[in-house]
Amino acid sequence: MYLSVEKVNGCLMIYLAKTSRGKTYTMWGHPNALLEDAWYRTNRGLTLCAYERLFSCIDEEQLKHSDKQLNFQSYCSFLEAIVLTLLDIPSISSFIKVDVPTGICVDYLTEEFVRMMM
Ligand SMILES: Nc1ncnc2c1ncn2[C@@H]1O[C@H](COP(=O)(O)OP(=O)(O)OP(=O)(O)O)[C@@H](O)[C@H]1O
């Protein structure tokens, strides 16, 4: 997270597991994970924990530079690929390009700008 506020563009995480092994649960956590209840909070998935950390890093940066108004933009993308055999992995990874300084780009995916959560 510190790297992302230090202008390193992109973090790519690939999670490979058999069906029903808990990939979605690991990424998002319990369906009520956004509730403030302590138990649900401890069952937040990786995405929510990462964003919590990211926003606290942004707050720390803003405090360190309180004389300036800092602007941050964060993008989060998900690509779900069904892999039938391990031999499919190289063909999927050929769609993913890491470009400096733009960041990570996946062929055929479009990017939407989102201002708020519905
Ligand atoms: N750590 C966990 N604690 C409690 N329940 C879990 C946990 N991991 C997975 N589950 C439950 O197991 C079931 C399957 O998990 P999940 O949907 O995350 O699997 P998946 O790997 O994403 O499946 P698929 O490949 O079908 O998309 C869900 O009902 C989920 O709530």
Side-chain angles (χ1 to χ4, degrees):
M1 281 306 136
Y2 278 114
L3 286 179
S4 55
V5 290
E6 290 297 329
K7 301 183 188 141
V8 173
N9 282 324
C11 165
L12 176 65
M13 199 192 108
I14 296 176
Y15 181 0
L16 187 68
K18 280 172 77 173
T19 191
S20 293
R21 290 298 160 102
K23 298 179 292 296
T24 308
Y25 196 93
T26 302
M27 296 308 290
W28 295 105
H30 191 277
N32 290 335
L34 280 173
L35 299 180
E36 286 304 317
D37 176 276
W39 187 86
Y40 291 130
R41 280 186 69 87
T42 57
N43 283 280
R44 286 184 171 172
L46 191 59
T47 310
L48 298 180
C49 293
Y51 263 91
E52 258 180 352
R53 188 75 194 110
L54 178 65
F55 286 129
S56 88
C57 289
I58 289 173
D59 288 344
E60 286 166 25
E61 281 299 297
Q62 185 61 74
L63 271 178
K64 271 195 261 169
H65 305 279
S66 53
D67 53 322
K68 294 184 246 171
Q69 175 63 51
L70 301 179
N71 284 311
F72 290 89
Q73 274 189 355
S74 168
Y75 300 86
C76 185
S77 314
F78 296 90
L79 169 66
E80 182 165 348
I82 311 291
V83 179
L84 297 179
T85 76
L86 290 179
L87 295 175
D88 294 335
I89 293 173
S91 64
I92 288 168
S93 55
S94 70
F95 292 110
I96 302 170
K97 312 222 162 41
V98 180
D99 175 48
V100 178
T102 320
I104 294 162
C105 170
V106 181
D107 288 347
Y108 309 115
L109 288 191
T110 57
E111 194 171 88
E112 306 292 338
F113 188 63
V114 179
R115 285 180 191 280
M116 66 177 78
M117 305 228 317
M118 298 298 281

